[in-house]
Amino acid sequence: MSSLSRELVFLILQFLDEEKFKETVHKLEQESAFFFNMKYFEDQVQAGEWDEVERYLCGFTKVEDNRYSMKIFFEIRKQKYLEALDRNDRAKAVEILCKDLKVFSTFNEELFKEITQLLTLDNFRQNEQLSKYGDTKSARSIMLVELKKLIEANPLFREKLAFPVFKASRLRTLINQSLNWQHQLCKNPRPNPDIKTLFIDHTCNSNNGGRGPPPTNSSLAGPIPKAGVFPPIGAHGPFQPVVAPSAGAIAGWMATANPSMPHGAVAAGPPGLVQPPVAAAFLKHPRTPPGGPGLEYQMADSEHLMKRARVGPSDELSFSGSTHPPNVYSPDDLPKTVVRTLNQGSNVMCMDFHPQHQTILLVGTNIGEISIWEVGSRERMVHKPFKVWDLSACSMPFQTTLVKDAAVSVNRCIWAPDGSILGVAFSKHIVQIYTYNPSGELRHHLEIDAHVGGVNDIAFAHPNKQLSIVTCGDDKTIKVWDAVAGRKQYAFEGHEAPVYSVCPHSKETVQFIFSTAIDGKIKAWLYDCLGSRVDYDAPGLWCTTMAYSADGTRLFSCGTSREGDAHLVEWNESEGSIKREYTGFRKRSMGVVQFDTTRNRFLAAGDEFQIKFWDMDNLNMLTVTDADEKLPSRPRLRFNKEGSLLAVTTSDNGIKILANGDGQRMLLRMLESRSYEGSRAFSDTVKVPAIPGPLGPIPNASSSMASATERERMQTPISIGNLANAETSKVVDIKPRIADGADNTKSWKLPEIVDSSHLKALRLPDSMAASKVVRLIYTNSGFSLLALASSAIHKLWKWQRNERNPSGKSTASIVPQLWQPTNGALMSNDVNENKPAEESAACIALSKNDSYVMSASGGKVSLFNMMTFKVMTTFMAPPPAATYLAFHPQDNNIIAIGMEDSTIQIYNVRVDEVKSKLKGHQKQITGLAFSQTLNILVSSGADAQLCIWNISGWEKRKSRSIQSPPGHPSSLVGETKVQFHNDQRHLLVVHESQIAIYDHQLECLKLWSPRESLSAPISSAIYSCDGLLLFTGFSDGAVGIFDADSLRLRCRVAPSAYISSSISSSNNTAYPMVIAAHPSDPNQFALGMSDGSVHVIEPADADPKWGGSAPQENGTLASNPSNSALNSQPSETPSR
C-alpha cells in the first residue's frame, strides 16, 4: 500500500472515531494493522474479553512470528487458563490447555508439563510460583504491565503504537478544500452553492450574473477548527489531537523553489487526495485575488491550495512521501563508557567537536573563556580568556554595557564545516572569529559587534557558495555576515521576542534559515530580505533549538517550556507538522534541555542528571546513562562527527568524554601513535603545511626550537590508559608498537587497603557444610549471587527490596538471604561415581533471563529451574566430563561444552544432538569465550594454548601458546581462562603466571606478571562490568585492581581488609579461588574462597572508586571522578 493510501486509512480512522463508529474503528485498526490501539487492547484485557483480545492481536502478529509474540500469546492464554481454574471450571481449563496452550509444548515441554500439573491441585496457588496470585482484577493488571513491555519491544509493532500527528477533522478539511477548489474552477460560481452530493464533482449552474460574494453556508456539516487555533490535547480516546503547527502556515516545508512560478501548480495524485507540494512552498508568500470565491468551511490550508490551483499540466514533481528505513542498532553503537574526565575550571556553556579531527573539542564557558582540548591525551591545547580585541571599533552601547558590567559568557561556540575557522557568540553584542591550524594555534580573524544585547547563537552557511556567518540575538533579529571581511549581507526582522537559535540548511538549490525565539515562534527565511516564510509555534513555547540528522534528511527540534517541560520532536518537512514526539523526559525540571543527533540513527538529550538516548524511529527512550554520576540536572552534550565520542558537562565544572567501542579504539590508536612520536627526538624543525580554507591558506606556525614546555610534553611517552597514566614499571609490553615502560609521568602513592574500615566487605551467611567455592556468578539482574561448591552443591543468595535497599540489588551494606524453595530442595549436580566431586572440574552458565542455570561437577550436565531448583533435564554423561560451558550468543539452544578429553562439543539442547566436535588442544578445556561482533569462539586449555574457531562452520582459524613472562619457562602449562572485553575485540587471558590483553588475532598487547607486593600466583581475574577495571585474585588472599587497558595497578586489597582476624588466624590459607563482577555496578565484586566462604566487596563510601587519583596536569584530572553530591547550575538567562 502506498504512503498516501496508508495516510488515507488514518484519516478514515479519525473520522470514524469522531463520528462514534467505535466497533468499525477497531475493526479497521485490526484489518489494516497500521495502528495498534493500546487503550482498546487494555480495556478488552481488563474486561476478560479473551476472544476479542486474540482476534485484535492477530491483525498485527501471530504466535510463531517471534519470541515477543510467542510470549504475548502465552501470557494471555495462561491467564485465561488460571481464571478457569480459579472458577473451578475444570472442563474449560482442559479445553484451554488442549486448544490454546498445547502449541507452546514444542518450545518448552517442561513448562507445559508444569502447567498441566496445576489441574491436579485443589488450588493452583499451592504451586510456589503462583503462591502470590491475587484476585482476577489484580492479576490482569499485573499481566497488562508485562504485555505492554512485550508489545513495545516487539519489532512488529514498531511505528504502530502512536497515532500520526495531524489536526482534528482532517478528512472534513480535505473535502472542504476539494469543494473550494472545484468551486474556484466553476465558470459561473454562485454565491451560495447548493452542494447536495460528494459522489460527483461540484459545478454551479450557468447564470448571467457576475461573481457573487463568498458563500455563507454549506451542506457539509460538522465543526471545523478555525485557522491558527490549536485543538486541545484530549485526555481520552484513541485519537488524541497533539500540538500541531499553525493552520495559517503554508503547507509543505521543503523542495526546489521555482522563481518563474510564484504560485506552483497542484501536483496530480490519487482521486480524492490532495498531495503535499514539493516546491519550497513554505518559503513563498501566497496572495489571494480580491473577491475570490470560497466556501464557509475554508481554512488556511484550503485557501493556500486554492491559490496554487492552475489549469494544465504541473511543472512540479509529484510527492511520493519520504520514508526512513528502520534503524538496526546495537547498544555498543552508543558512547556510554566514561573514558576521560577534563577539568575546565568554570561552568561549561557549549561544546563542539572538530569536524575532521574527531578528538579535538572546542569549549566555551560562563566567564567568556574558550578552550580547545585534545581529549585523547587530556591536553588543553588552547585557553583564551575573554578579551575585546578592539574596543574603539565597538559601538557605544556595547562599551557602556561593559563599563556597567564586565561579566561576559559564551553563548555558543562552533567550528566551520571544514574546521579551518571557529566562531564564538558572547552574551554581550559581539562575535569573534578565529582561524585555526592543527598545531593548536588560534589567530584573530574577525570581531563583529553583531547585536544589541546578547548574541544567542552562531552558525556557518554557504548561501551563495561562499562561507557566511549567521547570528541571532536579543534585538529580535537574524543577521548574515561575510566570513572573509565581516560585512553584513542580510538582516531578517519579524520576530517579536529575542531570537534564541538559528539553523541554516539547504534542500537541493534552496538555501534557508530556521530561527526560533523565546516566545516559541519558529520562522523560516530565504536569503532575499522578503520576510519570514513560516510562522509556527514550537512545542514548549519557549527555548527551542533545531537540528538536522547527519544526512540532512530529517529535522528535529528540542524545546523547553518556562515550567521546565521538555519536548523532543521530529518534524514532517513535507507538511510542516510534527511527525513524532519522543517520550521519557522528567516533568518540570530546571534548566533548558540540550540535544544532539548522531549517525542518522540516534538522538541524545541531557535530563534528570542523565543522558537519555532515543532511536530516531521509536518514540520510547532507548537507554540512559548517568556517566558514573556527577552530572547536572540537565547536562549539555555534543557528539563528534562519527558518533563514537560524546562530551557531557559535569556539575563540578568539568567535562566527561563517553565512548563506544570505536571511540575507545580510536583513542587507543591515537595515544599509541603519540607514544611512538613522543619517543623521537625533536632536533629537526617541525613543519606543517598550510591549511586550505574558505578564507585562503592558513599558515602553520613553525619553529626551529619548541618551547621547553612543549618539548617536555611531546617527548613524554603517553600510556594507552583510558583513565590514568600507566604505572608501566610492572607492565611488560610485548609488541614494539606499544609504549615503553619508562613512563616519565608524575607518580602518586599506590593505594594499599589493609584495614576493613577502608572498604565495605560482607561475608555472606552460610549454614551449609563448608567446601571450597569453585564457581561464582551474579545473576544478570544483579539481585542474586550463585555459587557452586566443590561438593557439587549450589548456593543462591538473594537481596530483598526494603527501605534501605529499594532497588533490591546486591550490596555489601545489607545481609542477603541464603535462599531455598519452600520444599527445602537443594540444587545439586550429578557426580561421577568413579571420581570424587572435589577432584572434578566444575562449570556453570546462566541463561540471560536468570530462569535457568546449566551446571556440571564431573557428572552429567544438569539444567536447573532457578525458581524451583528442579532438574529440568540432564545430558552429556561422562566420560569425558564437561569442564566449561558457554551459551552461543545468537541461539540459547546451542551450547559450547569444553571437555575433559581436550575437545569442544557444540551441542543443541533442543534436539539433544552434538552438532560438531572441535579438536585443537592437548589438555582439558578451561575457558571459552564468544565474540558476537567477530563471529568467533576463543578457547583456552590446561595446555596454556589459545584457539580461535569460526562459529559459522566451526573450523579452526588460528592457535598459539600464551606468552611467557620474564623469568618463567618458555613453555607454560596450567589452567588458562579467557574473557572478551565489552568491545568484543580485546581478550583477557588469565594464567597463574600472568594477566594479559590479546587482540582478536591472538597478538599479545599487554602482559602483567606477579611481583613485589603481589608476588603470589594468580588464582582468578575478571573485567568489571564497564570494562574499565580488572579484578584479580591471588593465592595468598590479596586482590589487585588494575586499569583494564594499561594493566596499571590501581590498588591492592590485603586479606586483612575483608577477612576478620578471628577467621584469618584459624585459617591462614584462605584465598579467592574465583572472582565475580557485578553486572551493573563497576566497583562491586564478589570472592569465592578456598574455605567455602563468599565475600562481597565494595569501595568505602568516602571514596567510592577503586584506586588513587592521578596528578592534575594541563588542567585535567586523569582519575575517575568521585560520586559526590550532584548539583545543578542553571543560568540566569535561557542557555542551551
Side-chain angles (χ1 to χ4, degrees), residues 494-526:
H495 277 292
E496 297 176 358
V499 185
Y500 183 71
S501 70
V502 288
C503 178
H505 197 60
S506 64
K507 286 283 184 176
E508 299 179 358
T509 60
V510 181
Q511 301 275 346
F512 55 91
I513 303 169
F514 281 117
S515 62
T516 70
I518 64 171
D519 60 358
K521 292 294 183 184
I522 298 176
K523 295 182 182 291
W525 317 80
L526 284 177

Side-chain angles (χ1 to χ4, degrees), residues 836-866:
E838 287 76 7
E839 299 178 11
S840 301
C843 48
I844 193 170
L846 189 63
S847 66
K848 293 178 181 178
N849 62 1
D850 296 335
S851 297
Y852 303 98
V853 64
M854 194 170 291
S855 183
S857 297
K860 298 177 184 178
V861 179
S862 301
L863 180 66
F864 293 95
N865 183 317
M866 286 280 283

Side-chain angles (χ1 to χ4, degrees), residues 1063-1075:
I1063 296 176
S1064 59
S1065 60
S1066 62
N1067 186 2
N1068 294 322
T1069 61
Y1071 67 92
M1073 296 192 64
V1074 60
I1075 297 186

